[in-house]
Amino acid sequence: MPTALVLGASRGLGLEFVRQYRADGWRVIAVARSDEGIEAIKALGAEAHKLDLTDAAAVAGLGWKLDGETIDVAIYNAGVIGPRTEGAQPIPKQDFDAVMHSNVLGPMMALPLLLPFVETGNHGRGGVLAVLSSKMGSIGGMESNRAWMYRISKAAVNAVLKSVSLDARHAICVALHPGWVQTDMGGPQADLTPQQSVAGIRRTLAGLTQTDNGSFHNYDGAPIPW
Ligand SMILES: NC(=O)c1ccc[n+]([C@@H]2O[C@H](COP(=O)([O-])OP(=O)(O)OC[C@H]3O[C@@H](n4cnc5c(N)ncnc54)[C@H](OP(=O)(O)O)[C@@H]3O)[C@@H](O)[C@H]2O)c1
């Protein structure tokens, strides 16, 4: 039975990853920071760990709890949008800290720690280590500066993913854009349901090969410029 790990799975896309991998018969380990999130994960038959991904000691503790595990797919899903600014406005330090801690510091602590567990995944051939980024973080594709704190954090997490991919020997490390999705973050007017987005991402992840290590993909598999 393959194993998936989902970091930030209380609701939205994270919880949908747990639902779909469980429905497919996978063993799922998932992380949330609230009691409600833990209950939602457990209700889907997954193993739940309560921690805030910006807490260095808690993330290190997760590493100890995973000792001996082999992970086939690990997904860093947690993210926050921050202020929905128009234009390049001066950013209050507390907004910078909140967004950069969840979207960049968390992955910089968790991804290197998770890589060894993923290296042995997929029957020793190497699993997939994915981070939920956003097309809004693509510098090559930037046509708007709306919510620039979020954009900059996602450009930074893309650099985190690319850096980690250079240490991978077998694992395939990828950044993903889930599409514009109907979650608390995306809003009800978004293009895709969480079911559609996650089904597309799971198909994309299942079709990756070693040459995809260190790349950025749309949920449907199309490449996105960094
Ligand atoms: N929805 C879209 O259209 C869209 C588009 C592009 C990219 N994305 C990216 O896709 C990912 C998932 O988005 P979503 O739409 O599902 O967002 P969401 O509905 O706002 O859910 C965000 C999730 O991240 C968790 N989280 C945030 N910070 C955390 C922390 N420090 N520790 C633990 N958990 C934390 C939240 O937990 P709590 O419940 O505890 O807050 C929640 O489970 C994000 O990285 C987002 O940037 C989404």
Side-chain angles (χ1 to χ4, degrees):
M1 186 194 298
T3 300
L5 171 70
V6 187
L7 302 180
S10 65
R11 55 195 166 94
L13 292 169
L15 192 60
E16 184 60 24
F17 278 115
V18 176
R19 182 177 294 116
Q20 291 196 18
Y21 278 115
R22 283 295 299 144
D24 221 10
W26 288 45
R27 174 172 172 241
V28 179
I29 307 168
V31 164
R33 59 182 168 180
S34 66
D35 290 333
E36 298 84 342
I38 294 295
E39 286 318 309
I41 290 165
K42 284 186 178 164
L44 294 172
E47 195 179 308
H49 295 282
K50 188 176 168 191
L51 62 117
D52 186 321
L53 290 158
T54 64
D55 179 339
V59 173
L62 177 67
W64 289 110
K65 287 177 194 153
L66 293 174
D67 191 31
E69 294 282 0
T70 284
I71 297 170
D72 298 288
V73 171
I75 303 169
Y76 193 103
N77 170 79
V80 296
I81 182 87
R84 296 180 191 257
T85 46
E86 296 289 345
Q89 306 280 331
I91 199 86
K93 182 174 182 296
Q94 64 270 25
D95 289 336
F96 179 92
D97 288 347
V99 175
M100 293 300 272
H101 279 210
S102 275
N103 295 5
V104 186
L105 175 64
M108 286 183 84
M109 296 191 296
L111 297 187
L113 181 142
L114 295 178
L115 181 61
F117 300 104
V118 181
E119 291 280 31
T120 54
N122 192 22
H123 307 286
R125 292 191 290 274
V128 174
L129 181 59
V131 68
L132 266 285
S133 176
S134 170
K135 207 169 68 177
M136 288 172 73
S138 164
I139 296 175
M142 197 185 286
E143 287 167 354
S144 157
N145 58 6
R146 209 175 148 265
W148 73 321
M149 190 64 253
Y150 180 74
R151 288 176 190 278
I152 286 158
S153 74
K154 293 300 191 182
V157 81
N158 284 348
V160 174
L161 183 283
K162 187 77 188 185
S163 296
V164 172
S165 77
L166 298 176
D167 284 346
R169 295 170 62 90
H170 306 289
I172 304 168
C173 304
V174 287
L176 299 164
H177 172 60
W180 184 24
V181 193
Q182 295 156 18
T183 61
D184 293 337
M185 186 184 291
Q189 71 284 22
D191 294 334
L192 300 170
T193 63
Q195 292 79 4
Q196 291 168 323
S197 170
V198 168
I201 290 174
R202 291 179 62 236
R203 258 194 308 276
T204 295
L205 296 184
L208 293 174
T209 65
Q210 201 58 49
T211 55
D212 293 307
N213 184 42
S215 59
F216 187 16
H217 295 266
N218 196 24
Y219 75 100
D220 60 6
I224 298 178
W226 292 113

